[in-house]
Coordinates of all heavy atoms in Angstrom, one line a residue:
L88 N -39.9 6.2 36.2 CA -41.2 5.8 36.8 C -41.6 6.8 37.9 O -42.8 7.2 38.0 CB -41.2 4.4 37.3 CG -41.3 3.3 36.2 CD1 -41.1 1.9 36.9 CD2 -42.6 3.3 35.5
L107 N -43.0 7.4 30.1 CA -43.4 6.0 29.9 C -42.8 5.4 28.6 O -42.5 4.2 28.5 CB -44.9 5.8 29.9 CG -45.6 6.1 31.3 CD1 -47.1 6.0 31.1 CD2 -45.1 5.1 32.3
A108 N -42.7 6.3 27.6 CA -42.1 5.8 26.3 C -40.6 5.4 26.6 O -40.2 4.4 26.0 CB -42.2 6.9 25.3
V110 N -39.4 4.5 29.5 CA -39.4 3.3 30.3 C -39.5 2.0 29.4 O -38.8 1.1 29.6 CB -40.7 3.3 31.2 CG1 -41.0 1.9 31.8 CG2 -40.4 4.3 32.4
K111 N -40.3 2.1 28.4 CA -40.4 0.9 27.5 C -39.1 0.6 26.8 O -38.8 -0.6 26.6 CB -41.6 1.2 26.5 CG -42.9 1.2 27.1 CD -44.0 1.2 26.1 CE -44.0 2.3 25.1 NZ -45.1 2.2 24.1
Q114 N -37.0 -1.1 29.2 CA -37.4 -2.5 29.4 C -37.0 -3.4 28.3 O -36.6 -4.6 28.5 CB -38.9 -2.5 29.5 CG -39.5 -1.9 30.8 CD -41.0 -2.0 30.8 OE1 -41.7 -1.3 30.1 NE2 -41.6 -2.9 31.6
L157 N -45.2 -0.1 40.3 CA -46.2 -0.5 39.3 C -47.4 -1.1 39.9 O -48.4 -1.3 39.2 CB -45.5 -1.4 38.3 CG -44.5 -0.8 37.4 CD1 -43.9 -1.8 36.5 CD2 -45.1 0.3 36.5
E243 N -53.0 2.4 26.9 CA -52.2 1.6 26.0 C -50.7 1.6 26.4 O -50.0 0.6 26.3 CB -52.4 1.9 24.5 CG -53.8 1.5 24.0 CD -54.0 0.0 24.1 OE1 -53.4 -0.7 23.4 OE2 -54.8 -0.4 25.0
E244 N -50.2 2.7 26.8 CA -48.8 2.8 27.2 C -48.6 1.9 28.5 O -47.6 1.2 28.6 CB -48.4 4.3 27.5 CG -48.2 5.2 26.3 CD -47.0 4.8 25.6 OE1 -45.9 4.8 26.1 OE2 -47.1 4.6 24.4
L245 N -49.5 2.0 29.4 CA -49.4 1.1 30.6 C -49.5 -0.3 30.2 O -48.7 -1.2 30.8 CB -50.5 1.5 31.6 CG -50.4 2.9 32.2 CD1 -51.6 3.2 33.1 CD2 -49.1 3.0 33.1
V246 N -50.3 -0.7 29.3 CA -50.4 -2.1 28.8 C -49.1 -2.5 28.2 O -48.6 -3.6 28.4 CB -51.6 -2.3 27.9 CG1 -51.5 -3.7 27.2 CG2 -52.9 -2.2 28.6
D247 N -48.5 -1.6 27.4 CA -47.1 -1.9 26.9 C -46.1 -2.1 28.0 O -45.3 -3.1 27.8 CB -46.7 -0.7 26.0 CG -47.4 -0.6 24.7 OD1 -48.1 -1.6 24.3 OD2 -47.3 0.5 24.0
V248 N -46.1 -1.3 29.0 CA -45.2 -1.5 30.1 C -45.4 -2.8 30.8 O -44.4 -3.6 31.0 CB -45.4 -0.3 31.1 CG1 -44.6 -0.6 32.4 CG2 -44.9 1.0 30.6
E249 N -46.6 -3.2 31.0 CA -46.9 -4.5 31.6 C -46.5 -5.7 30.7 O -45.9 -6.7 31.1 CB -48.3 -4.7 32.0 CG -48.6 -6.1 32.5 CD -49.7 -6.1 33.6 OE1 -50.1 -5.1 34.1 OE2 -50.2 -7.2 33.9
D250 N -46.8 -5.5 29.4 CA -46.4 -6.5 28.4 C -44.9 -6.8 28.5 O -44.4 -7.9 28.5 CB -46.9 -6.1 27.1 CG -46.7 -7.1 26.0 OD1 -46.1 -8.2 26.3 OD2 -47.2 -6.9 24.9
L251 N -44.1 -5.7 28.4 CA -42.7 -5.8 28.4 C -42.2 -6.4 29.8 O -41.2 -7.1 29.8 CB -42.0 -4.5 28.2 CG -42.1 -4.0 26.7 CD1 -41.9 -2.5 26.5 CD2 -41.1 -4.8 25.9
F252 N -42.8 -6.0 30.9 CA -42.4 -6.6 32.1 C -42.7 -8.1 32.1 O -41.8 -8.9 32.6 CB -43.2 -6.0 33.3 CG -42.6 -6.0 34.6 CD1 -41.8 -5.0 35.1 CD2 -42.7 -7.2 35.4 CE1 -41.1 -5.1 36.3 CE2 -42.1 -7.3 36.6 CZ -41.3 -6.2 37.1
Q253 N -43.8 -8.5 31.6 CA -44.0 -10.0 31.5 C -43.1 -10.7 30.5 O -42.7 -11.8 30.8 CB -45.5 -10.2 31.0 CG -46.5 -9.9 32.0 CD -46.6 -10.9 33.1 OE1 -45.6 -11.2 33.8 NE2 -47.8 -11.4 33.4
F290 N -50.4 -5.9 36.9 CA -50.3 -4.5 37.5 C -51.6 -3.8 37.3 O -52.1 -3.0 38.2 CB -49.2 -3.7 37.0 CG -47.8 -4.3 37.2 CD1 -47.0 -4.5 36.2 CD2 -47.4 -4.6 38.5 CE1 -45.7 -5.0 36.4 CE2 -46.1 -5.1 38.8 CZ -45.3 -5.3 37.7
F291 N -52.2 -3.9 36.1 CA -53.3 -3.0 35.7 C -54.5 -3.9 35.2 O -54.8 -4.0 34.0 CB -52.9 -2.1 34.6 CG -51.5 -1.5 34.7 CD1 -50.5 -1.7 33.8 CD2 -51.2 -0.7 35.9 CE1 -49.2 -1.2 34.0 CE2 -49.9 -0.2 36.0 CZ -48.9 -0.4 35.1
Y295 N -56.7 -4.9 31.1 CA -56.8 -6.2 30.4 C -58.3 -6.7 30.4 O -58.7 -7.2 29.4 CB -55.9 -7.3 31.1 CG -54.5 -7.0 30.7 CD1 -53.7 -6.2 31.5 CD2 -53.9 -7.6 29.6 CE1 -52.3 -6.0 31.2 CE2 -52.6 -7.4 29.2 CZ -51.8 -6.6 30.1 OH -50.5 -6.3 29.7

Side-chain angles (χ1 to χ4, degrees):
L88 285 171
L107 292 177
V110 162
K111 294 192 300 182
Q114 287 181 288
L157 290 176
E243 288 300 289
E244 287 288 306
L245 291 173
V246 170
D247 285 346
V248 168
E249 173 147 349
D250 189 352
L251 284 160
F252 203 95
Q253 288 288 50
F290 299 125
F291 319 121
Y295 284 90

